[in-house]
Amino acid sequence: MLPFVGMAFVGGFRYNVGVDYPAYEWIYDYVNESPDNNDYIEVGFRVLMRFVNEKGGTVQLVFLIASVLTAFFYYHFIKDNSVNFELSTMLYLCLGPFYFSSFNGVRQALAISIVLYATKYCGKDNVKYIILVLFATTIHTSSILMLLLMFSTKLKENYLLYALGTYIVGAIATNSNIVNMILNRSSSYSKYIDHPGNYWDKSYLLFAAIIIFAFLFRPIWKRFDKKYMCLLAIVLALIAVGYGHEQYSMLMTRFIMWGSPIFIILIPQMVSMFKQKKELGVIICFVSILYYFNVARNGANMYPYMFNFKLLQ
């Protein structure tokens, strides 16, 4: 558990690290200074911010609580699903869409971790799964989409077909005015249309290649959980849509975050099926560390790192 304690500490006590840090400082003040305005942020996170403020806490305490909870749920997700806990932990820490994402999309990262933890109940105890997903929805509204995952256990194993179907739907939606119409109705997501940060990260090509290999290599998806393979099919489709419609790349990235954590447990599963397990593990760790330093040095507002230990006003 020590790596996750360390990650919770670093994420929770960071100061002005990550694009969204100043945004959440503003949100914290807004929520507590405008108690009658209930529309700006989801009720669960609003309650957390108001509770912290009433107890004399600062916004830094909110960051710490969110960081601890995110690390806690990811720890259990990896422990419950991975065939190689150490390699999965390395992937979670080093690859940009996972640990580093919690420095920016704080609410979504926390909601994703809750839903990932809940997936162990999906198809087995759907009542618990629904309760946890609805709870995550109070943190980030998009969590509600993950209720659809319950139906994936009844689908046949035609993953490439699902990916193609999702891509066609996405291409039609982005080529028409449907996406713009939906986004313009949302004050939270309308900003993603032609966002200044809309550029497609070429590293997603590597993720796409891993997914295709997993789909084509039958022994992998025969051993891997069906619901996770269905999520990967959606990720593959969204990557393809994102490359074709870069003006929506920020939006596609946000949705991909719901399925991409499956790589944390898929890659160790793939490595375990080869004789050169140690050699492949070393190569993956080396590439992951390079990726880590690339994101840390070049990511917006990720470097230099500064601490803030002021938890109480």
Side-chain angles (χ1 to χ4, degrees), residues 207-248:
F207 291 130
I210 293 172
I211 295 172
I212 293 172
F213 179 76
F215 288 165
L216 296 178
F217 193 44
R218 190 178 179 86
I220 291 176
W221 54 262
K222 277 295 183 184
R223 295 187 188 182
F224 209 56
D225 198 304
K226 186 185 291 187
K227 58 179 174 278
Y228 297 145
M229 296 301 286
C230 288
L231 270 179
L232 287 173
I234 295 172
V235 170
L236 180 61
L238 292 176
I239 290 173
V241 172
Y243 270 98
H245 304 84
E246 197 158 271
Q247 70 269 33
Y248 300 117

Side-chain angles (χ1 to χ4, degrees), residues 94 153 217 219 294 298 300:
C94 291
T153 57
F217 193 44
N294 177 63
N298 299 319

